Amino acid sequence: MPRVEDQQIAAVISVLVENESGALARVIGLFSGRGYNIESLTVAPVEDGGARSRINIVTMGTPMVVEQIKALLYRLVPVHKVSDLTQLGPHVAREMALIKVVCTGEMRSEALRIADSFRARPVDTTVGSFVFELTGASEKIEAFIELMRPLGLVEISRTGVAAIARGTRTI
Amino acid sequence: MNVATDPKDAVHADMPGSSALNGAEVLMRVLQEQGVEVVFGYPGGAVLPIYDALFKQNSVRHILVRHEQAAVHAAEGYARSTGRVGVVLVTSGPGATNAVTGLVDALMDSVPIVCLTGQVPTHMIGNDAFQEADTTGITRPATKHNYLVKRPGDLARTLHEAFYVARSGRPGPVVIDLPKDIMVGPAPYASASSAPHRSYRPASEPARAAVAEAVAAMRRARRPLFYTGGGVINAGPAASEALCRLVRMTGFPCTSTLMGLGAYPTDDPLFVGMLGMHGTYEANLATHGCDLLINIGARFDDRVTGRLDAFSPGSTKIHVDIDPSSINKIVQVDIPVVGDAGRAIAMMIEEWENGRGSEREALAGWWRQIDAWRSIDSLGFKQDQAASAIIKPQHAIRRLHELALETGRDTFVTTEVGQHQMWAATHFQYRKPNRWMTSGGLGTMGYGLPAAVGVQVGHPDALVIDIAGEASTLMNIQELGTIAQYRLPVKLFILNNRYMGMVRQWQELLHGSRYSESYSEALPDFVRLAEAFHGTGMRATCMGELDDVIRAMLAHDGPVVADICVAQDENCYPMIPSGAAHNEMILGEAQAGQAAKITDEGLMLV
Ligand SMILES: Cc1cc2nc3c(=O)[nH]c(=O)nc-3n(C[C@H](O)[C@H](O)[C@H](O)COP(=O)(O)OP(=O)(O)OC[C@H]3O[C@@H](n4cnc5c(N)ncnc54)[C@H](O)[C@@H]3O)c2cc1C
Ligand SMILES: Cc1ncc(C[n+]2csc(CCOP(=O)(O)OP(=O)(O)O)c2C)c(N)n1
Ligand SMILES: [Mg+2]
């Protein structure tokens, strides 16, 4: 079994940045320049009438690397706050996916049945296709995708993870 | 506040008493307000308005270099020797791209630089306009931070902010890309804001509890070692003075990285020499064997640690660093202290004074061990004293140091990169901080000559010497032109071994002595080269000529190029080969015999 220091852990990190040109490039450059991986990244203005954006990053690394990533993010000049949601306790992490399935006959009702049990909504329907909209934890989306694959899945569009701490705590 | 771009305003800007300034004039005012004395630069189309504003004022001096890379190195030399921010001005496109090596150099060595780059007018950005380059894109990973000013209203604030970012926290280079229309059009002036920065607020005050924990560990330590670095230099001369007090107060041995030399006097008995790949035997074995390693402002660089899993295996580690991302980056430490080195040392002194002293007996034993290691004289070399004998590079540097000392002048040394750099680090002595300027992190050949320009500009009356290799020197040799133009009495002291010596050494040790492309072929005649650049050239070819040449060089009040022809096959020892542990050091011929024995004994002891 690998030592604790060598184990890969997943981390969901939220970053509040000044909404200026280049801020996102700095964050991405930090990961690519040092060979850290980004599993998912989302960004949108959230505060101060759009003057600040929130970036949510899902990454993997040894505990030392995750600490390093946080320190490096915090070091960026336009960064206001860095918060490691995984470490701070319970949090909610959700993403939205649009999934296109092309099928006919039996397969259509099977697709609809599965979609229903996942609370995925068909947001576009034609004689030969569906586009389902699904929101949830990444694992739920993965599971849905796997079930749709044999039913004619042709295209996936995912937003990446948005995350927030549970309870009263804020970033 | 955004000012309408009305061409009439630009005309008014030239009139005395008018409050409407154009962007370039706003820039000049910011430089004045920031206390900038000198800018190192090179003109071009995109910065013509700035050069025009420069022409019309006389509080900021401009030094015209001969290559934009040299502008940045000169600003680095100026910054590192004066403790101020170095300022660079270059044009768009090739001016900016030429500056990139210098920017990365400053980033790696934490040097505060503000680099102003010209840019094509805002409406042409993205058009592949003439001399357009994506400067902010290219320099993003080469700087601590960068800006593109797109609105006149942002200009003054951005410029002030750039100075703040460059010098605060862990210092570094900042680029401000200035489109030509922003420089030509009117722009409002604003003074530096006293309000805290929106997001960037590095902490400089260490946590008292962390310092107390560190000092408690210091009291308990039986084999302690201070490992100090460039961060102490960055913290200002007062931090170095405090370090001296702390080291003497505790009686602990002190080693330094290449970047920290001079923070603690290198010729003091408590100093055990530089550590790392080309550090002394005693410094490296002490690092390997200590039970407490007190890192102050150093970053566990791979040239220092060698093989990581064998680095200082039995020690408790304290790490003082202003940059939280330096902590636990490479080596897991036990007691992190985040904050300014100067503050941390001052607090350590307070804590130390409030309690009992060190483990005296254990410490005495530790010193006996260190003295035993020291006695093999790992930097020793054999110099034949006959007048016709070939000069050893180490000897040339020792004589340079001794004769420079005799002049009684404040002496600053810069270096290029290679063997001569390591010998300059270990055979010249540095008693004060900010007197040693070298490219450590990036290891940029061609750094030393322009850096010497910057140092001499900052210290017109001081003795400034670039200890150089013949190959590195040629990388920025054009700066002899700058030196001539401003009558800078820089001394270029070339240890000419007719090889890229450091490359040759690695080829000898690791590639079966196949000296692939490392011979310095077709070298210029450096004496005549000096003369061609309106300077004085000198040459020493044997021991009998060395002292006379050094004396004549030091006595001359203008620029000198001294071509010191040295042994071609000398290697830099001791050496820890890449990826080896500290106790797997290679020693020179002079020590090889005794070393093995002492290592074994040493390892039993520690
Ligand atoms: C050919 C060659 C050979 C080399 N061999 C060696 C060698 O044998 N030994 C050696 O030591 N080096 C050697 N080097 C240099 C090496 O590559 C590194 O540049 C050097 O070791 C880094 O020095 P440092 O750890 O002091 O860190 P620096 O690069 O000086 O960094 C300073 C550290 O202090 C922190 N800091 C900055 N300001 C402050 C402040 N105010 N307060 C507190 N902390 C602060 C920074 O965050 C950073 O972590 C060699 C270089 C070359 C080119
Ligand atoms: C710009 C740059 N290119 C290449 C290198 C690799 N390099 C390191 S030392 C060295 C040789 C330096 O030769 P010289 O200046 O004569 O110094 P010496 O080692 O002989 O003292 C080279 C090529 C470098 N450090 N910088
Ligand atoms: Mg050479």
Side-chain angles (χ1 to χ4, degrees), chain A residues 4 6 23 32 40 42 44 69-70 78 80 82 88 98-99 104 111 117 127 131 135 139 144 146 153 163-164:
Chain A
V4 185
D6 300 335
S32 61
S40 151
T42 56
I69 290 173
K70 288 187 280 180
H80 288 274
V82 178
L88 287 181
L98 295 171
I99 289 147
T104 49
S117 71
V127 195
V131 174
T135 310
E139 302 79 60
F144 183 70
E146 283 321 306
L153 182 141
I164 203 160

Side-chain angles (χ1 to χ4, degrees), chain B residues 297-563:
Chain B
R299 57 182 172 83
F300 293 109
D301 183 79
D302 53 72
R303 304 289 94 167
V304 164
T305 59
R307 204 175 85 218
L308 267 179
D309 59 3
F311 174 70
S312 195
S315 64
T316 298
K317 295 175 184 74
I318 296 171
H319 188 184
V320 178
D321 203 297
I322 202 159
D323 179 355
S325 76
S326 280
I327 308 245
N328 292 336
K329 180 173 73 170
I330 295 163
V331 171
Q332 280 281 355
V333 298
D334 306 282
I335 309 175
V337 180
V338 177
D340 176 62
R343 283 298 302 138
I345 296 168
M347 284 163 79
M348 283 177 169
I349 292 175
E350 285 164 29
E351 291 286 328
W352 184 266
E353 281 174 335
N354 284 335
R356 67 170 176 87
S358 53
E359 290 284 346
R360 284 189 175 283
E361 260 176 49
L363 198 57
W366 178 226
W367 270 112
R368 277 195 298 279
Q369 169 66 77
I370 289 173
D371 286 337
W373 288 329
R374 200 181 241 170
S375 69
I376 78 154
D377 185 20
S378 61
L379 296 174
F381 56 93
K382 293 196 185 104
Q383 173 67 63
D384 180 349
Q385 296 293 332
S388 62
I390 296 173
I391 304 164
K392 288 277 173 98
Q394 301 95 315
H395 177 73
I397 293 180
R398 287 199 182 186
R399 288 308 289 154
L400 177 65
H401 173 246
E402 286 155 8
L403 296 172
L405 212 55
E406 279 177 16
T407 67
R409 297 177 64 193
D410 198 4
T411 304
F412 294 74
V413 171
T414 70
T415 75
E416 306 293 337
V417 171
Q419 292 180 316
H420 64 276
Q421 177 188 25
M422 295 299 112
W423 287 316
T426 47
H427 293 275
F428 205 97
Q429 304 303 321
Y430 305 92
R431 293 179 176 167
K432 286 187 194 158
N434 308 98
R435 302 300 191 280
W436 161 251
M437 268 62 52
T438 197
S439 170
L442 196 62
T444 312
M445 290 170 71
Y447 166 90
L449 191 58
V453 166
V455 175
Q456 190 82 72
V457 166
H459 308 267
D461 300 323
L463 174 60
V464 181
I465 309 168
D466 173 23
I467 298 182
E470 82 294 338
S472 299
T473 299
L474 288 177
M475 286 218 178
N476 269 319
I477 194 69
Q478 76 289 344
E479 292 314 305
L480 287 176
T482 312
I483 287 170
Q485 178 178 346
Y486 298 96
R487 299 174 198 284
L488 301 173
V490 166
K491 316 296 183 225
L492 172 54
F493 191 74
I494 304 175
L495 295 172
N496 186 346
N497 53 9
R498 308 189 79 82
Y499 271 104
M500 298 171 194
M502 188 57 95
V503 174
R504 192 202 54 74
Q505 174 168 347
W506 282 55
Q507 288 173 333
E508 179 184 328
L509 299 176
L510 305 165
H511 297 274
S513 295
R514 288 179 295 279
Y515 299 136
S516 178
E517 304 295 324
S518 56
Y519 184 71
S520 283
E521 202 69 65
L523 283 173
D525 176 335
F526 285 107
V527 173
R528 284 165 62 201
L529 187 71
E531 286 159 4
F533 276 102
H534 319 289
T536 304
M538 301 175 183
R539 177 172 295 125
T541 57
C542 58
M543 279 292 283
E545 295 169 354
L546 180 66
D547 281 13
D548 290 345
V549 165
I550 296 176
R551 282 206 177 86
M553 174 184 92
L554 296 176
H556 187 67
D557 62 1
V560 176
V561 177
D563 182 17

